[in-house]
Amino acid sequence: MALTIDQLNAASGAEFARLLDGVYEHSPWIAERAAKARPFRSLPHLKHALVQAVAGASREEQLGLIRAHPELAGKAMVARNLTAESTNEQNKAGLTQCTPEEFAKIQQLNADYNAKFTFPFILAVRGPRGTGLSKQEIIETFERRLHNHREFELGEALRNIHRIAEIRLDDKFGVEPSLGNAVWDWQEKLSVHTDPGYAEKGQLTVTYLTDAHRACAQQIAQDMREAGFDHVEIDAVGNVVGRYDGATPGAKTLLTGSHYDTVRNGGKYDGRLGIFVPMACVRELKRQNRRLPFGFEVVGFAEEEGQRYKATFLGSGALIGHFHPTWLDQKDADGITMREARRNAGLNDDDIPKLQRDPSKYLGFVEVHIEQGPVLTELDLPLGIVTSINGSVRFVGEVIGMASHAGTTPMDRRRDAAAAVAELILFAEKRAAKDGDSVATVGMLEVPGGSINVVPGRCRFSLDLRAPNNAQRDALTDDVVNALKEICERRGVRYTLEETMRAAAAPSAPEWQKRWEKAVDTLGVPLFRMPSGAGHDAMKLHEVMPQAMLFVRGINSGISHNPLESSTSNDMQLAVQAFQLLLNDLAAEQAH
């Protein structure tokens, strides 16, 4: 019989610990301390209390918890001395059926890991979907984490222990994150589409209007139709637009969505999570044969990352009338103009102005997004409330010096373009750090036709500057641009600099932020408010209507724009449930 929150709340201290036996390996003290936080409002509330009990423990107690876990495919497994829970988990991952070569490899990794860290390697082998990692994924993770420093790895071990406990709790309570699993599966299915040159390497790259990009649009459109949207179309910029009609014709609409393009060799969840979470909400509304008192529009924005062309936010920008015709003449790395790419995709340039939305017909815009950073995962929180999106500005530039012989050109006679850019990079790094919450990045750096024995005559670079408000962003920008000018004058080189994007800071609309907060609190998840250092489509919609965002925790220390980007189906489940609560509360407001 499945355990219930009511049972736990009513249990004595000893009974409470007994009911949670096996959730944390040989560590009943965790349940004993968590019991003091009763009454629990929900399973997520209980999970957080258990996490807090570990967070408040001494370092020796935390190390004891880690060391209570068996090695993967280790002596305890061979001797069949594992707990029932560990046996089930290692069996699901196939570790009980290792080949002699795999077993030897894991044994060596165990030895190397213990020698470096003095505690066993801990990995939630049932994985972020709960169905089990492959042996290859386990070995690759093992090898990668061997390079971490000890303090960071201790945190990773504890985070994986909490994930193991979460799955074990779900088993005890007889619950399955079915909505989160659906969102997970949609994203996995979409990730099979990737641009040429990357597919062969097993990498995910989807840039504007490539064949893979267009296949993604068709896939999302099909998933929307199957979920029960009333109207689905791919619009004149490649956005996938799904509408679920409200109960009353002519009622206002709630707008949501995110982008489906990716950075090169990126992750599966950046942007795409914000398409599939509301899609799950629509699927459930359709299954219930239920209509909201407002329309619900979900948009998979065609472009946000600025990877193929220098223009960014093409998808969301078109909805607010910010598509610049000059963008059509931009060329990609192969010399293909955007106009040509659009013609090849069957898109009509004359239809773009028709995409502009009338803000008076919309209630607002909300967006769900993976955090893309380490804050939530380090706090062991599944959801975060976004207070504002940082303002940003981007440039592409080139320093032009003089290519010359590396052996015969004296150091004081050089006009080294790359050295000038290197100096700029270091200046930008120090200048941003002075603010404390500004950031500056040179993510692209190229010496065209460079040779090992030639002083670089040209150096191309990008510049990405961000800050929590526009004034701070502009002060940072002025200082970095002035530094570039000074560096080039002093070094006898010249430069070109083109601003490719400027986005204003976008504070969340207070009433919409409160709606997200109410939804998260109702789930029993502690509220945590945070700014977004990354740019999002919500920044564009912010220019014409109120907006607010919800962040979802990422695993692997929250890394994003990276193949290791991931989240769990449990956290995705909570995101769907929070969105459902927001829709329900908004429906109740509209009814009055």
Side-chain angles (χ1 to χ4, degrees):
M1 186 174 174
L3 186 59
T4 67
I5 287 293
D6 288 342
Q7 272 181 277
L8 284 176
N9 284 335
S12 66
E15 178 68 3
F16 183 92
R18 187 192 67 78
L19 289 169
L20 293 181
D21 181 53
V23 171
Y24 284 90
E25 200 90 352
H26 305 297
S27 303
W29 60 268
I30 299 172
E32 290 165 4
R33 294 181 193 179
K36 298 172 185 175
R38 289 184 289 180
F40 298 115
R41 295 190 288 151
S42 63
L43 181 54
H45 187 193
L46 167 64
K47 290 174 180 177
H48 183 69
L50 292 164
V51 167
Q52 288 299 100
V54 175
S58 69
R59 177 53 53 89
E60 282 309 306
E61 287 173 318
Q62 292 174 345
L63 285 168
L65 169 62
I66 296 171
R67 289 170 180 149
H69 285 72
E71 291 182 338
L72 294 183
K75 295 174 184 176
M77 187 195 80
V78 174
R80 299 186 179 180
N81 290 331
L82 297 176
T83 62
E85 292 84 3
S86 287
T87 299
N88 176 46
E89 288 153 1
Q90 296 209 24
N91 185 53
K92 277 202 169 188
L95 292 174
T96 52
Q97 293 89 37
C98 286
T99 65
E101 294 77 16
E102 289 169 337
F103 187 74
K105 176 73 171 176
I106 293 173
Q107 291 308 297
Q108 186 60 55
L109 288 168
N110 275 322
D112 293 345
Y113 188 94
N114 269 293
K116 180 174 181 178
F117 297 113
T118 72
F119 51 78
F121 174 70
I122 310 295
L123 179 64
V125 293
R126 283 180 62 180
R129 174 65 164 76
T131 49
L133 298 172
S134 69
K135 283 178 281 187
Q136 185 60 36
E137 287 174 311
I138 291 169
I139 290 170
E140 287 175 357
T141 305
F142 218 144
E143 292 173 327
R144 173 172 52 83
R145 282 175 49 187
L146 259 172
H147 297 291
N148 290 337
H149 60 77
R150 190 173 190 274
E151 193 65 22
F152 180 86
E153 188 56 24
L154 188 141
E156 278 291 272
L158 291 175
R159 284 187 281 273
N160 274 274
I161 286 171
H162 293 315
R163 174 59 181 160
I164 293 167
E166 175 167 65
I167 294 172
R168 292 177 179 182
L169 278 168
D170 286 353
D171 291 343
K172 279 185 178 287
F173 277 78
V175 300
E176 181 184 352
S178 56
L179 296 171
N181 288 344
V183 172
W184 171 278
D185 292 342
W186 279 325
Q187 289 169 127
E188 288 295 306
K189 185 168 65 171
L190 194 65
S191 70
V192 303
H193 306 295
T194 186
D195 287 354
Y198 297 92
E200 298 83 346
K201 301 174 186 176
Q203 298 176 352
L204 178 62
T205 300
V206 177
T207 58
Y208 188 55
L209 295 184
T210 59
D211 289 346
H213 184 271
R214 293 163 62 194
C216 283
Q218 293 294 339
Q219 184 68 66
I220 294 168
Q222 182 60 32
D223 288 339
M224 283 182 168
R225 294 185 187 99
E226 292 175 359
F229 284 81
D230 297 301
H231 315 279
V232 179
E233 66 169 335
I234 298 173
D235 72 16
V237 292
N239 294 329
V240 187
V241 183
R243 296 184 183 86
Y244 189 69
D245 294 335
T248 307
K252 288 191 175 184
T253 297
L254 176 63
L255 184 62
T256 188
S258 197
H259 62 98
Y260 64 90
D261 67 320
T262 76
V263 297
R264 292 180 174 87
N265 194 21
K268 301 174 184 177
Y269 308 99
D270 175 11
R272 297 168 175 206
L273 184 65
I275 302 169
F276 292 125
V277 165
M279 189 187 299
C281 294
V282 170
R283 191 188 71 175
E284 295 309 296
L285 287 167
K286 184 67 174 180
R287 286 179 174 179
Q288 298 161 15
N289 197 27
R290 180 185 167 205
R291 294 285 170 179
L292 300 166
F294 49 86
F296 192 35
E297 184 175 349
V298 181
V299 183
F301 293 114
E303 196 283 334
E304 188 252 24
E305 297 288 5
Q307 296 291 297
R308 186 176 181 185
Y309 298 101
K310 286 180 283 187
T312 56
F313 297 109
L314 294 180
S316 50
L319 268 58
I320 64 169
H322 285 189
F323 188 99
H324 303 290
T326 54
W327 289 344
L328 296 171
D329 296 318
Q330 289 185 358
K331 293 182 178 180
D332 68 7
D334 297 320
I336 300 170
T337 66
M338 188 187 298
R339 192 187 309 277
E340 291 167 336
R342 289 177 46 77
R343 189 179 303 125
N344 182 58
L347 301 179
N348 188 338
D349 297 345
D350 295 335
D351 291 336
I352 296 174
K354 303 172 187 175
L355 303 183
Q356 185 172 353
R357 303 297 197 264
D358 178 355
S360 68
K361 295 181 179 179
Y362 286 85
L363 296 167
F365 179 82
V366 290
E367 183 172 358
V368 174
H369 207 283
I370 196 167
E371 181 203 346
Q372 299 182 277
V375 176
L376 291 176
T377 191
E378 289 178 359
L379 293 170
D380 291 302
L381 290 173
L383 302 173
I385 310 296
V386 178
T387 55
S388 65
I389 305 169
N390 284 2
S392 61
V393 61
R394 290 180 185 173
F395 298 92
V396 291
E398 183 174 22
V399 170
I400 303 97
M402 177 66 71
S404 57
H405 197 292
T408 61
T409 311
M411 296 305 293
D412 61 353
R413 308 285 207 285
R414 297 182 175 212
R415 293 166 60 190
D416 189 326
V421 177
E423 188 175 343
L424 175 71
I425 293 171
L426 293 175
F427 174 86
E429 181 181 63
K430 291 178 182 177
R431 172 59 184 83
K434 276 177 59 179
D435 290 342
D437 51 4
S438 294
V439 291
T441 306
V442 173
M444 294 164 56
L445 196 60
E446 179 193 5
V447 176
S451 296
I452 195 168
N453 59 349
V454 176
V455 175
R458 308 179 81 91
C459 185
R460 297 175 186 150
F461 63 96
S462 63
L463 194 57
D464 183 314
L465 307 171
R466 310 186 192 207
N469 59 69
N470 296 339
Q472 187 172 317
R473 175 204 63 190
D474 293 345
L476 171 67
T477 301
D478 289 345
D479 287 350
V480 172
V481 171
N482 287 336
L484 174 62
K485 181 179 179 182
E486 186 277 326
I487 290 166
C488 289
E489 286 178 353
R490 173 165 40 82
R491 287 179 169 272
V493 296
R494 60 188 175 89
Y495 71 90
T496 63
L497 193 66
E498 178 188 356
E499 182 177 311
T500 59
M501 189 272 282
R502 180 175 292 261
S508 298
E511 69 275 17
W512 285 97
Q513 182 178 322
K514 287 176 183 174
R515 290 185 179 106
W516 277 129
E517 290 174 356
K518 182 180 179 183
V520 171
D521 180 65
T522 300
L523 292 171
V525 174
L527 291 182
F528 181 74
R529 302 169 182 88
M530 61 189 298
S532 171
H536 302 287
D537 292 296
M539 300 175 75
K540 298 304 293 182
L541 278 304
H542 172 83
E543 297 178 30
V544 299
M545 65 179 73
Q547 64 79 26
M549 292 185 68
L550 179 73
F551 271 169
V552 181
R553 166 176 54 187
I555 61 174
N556 296 325
S557 66
I559 196 167
S560 184
H561 285 184
N562 185 296
L564 293 174
E565 173 186 274
S566 188
S567 185
T568 67
S569 60
N570 284 80
D571 288 355
M572 295 177 195
Q573 172 86 16
L574 288 173
V576 176
Q577 290 175 319
F579 212 133
Q580 289 176 317
L581 287 166
L582 181 143
L583 293 174
N584 290 342
D585 287 346
L586 192 58
E589 290 175 28
Q590 296 289 306
H592 291 92

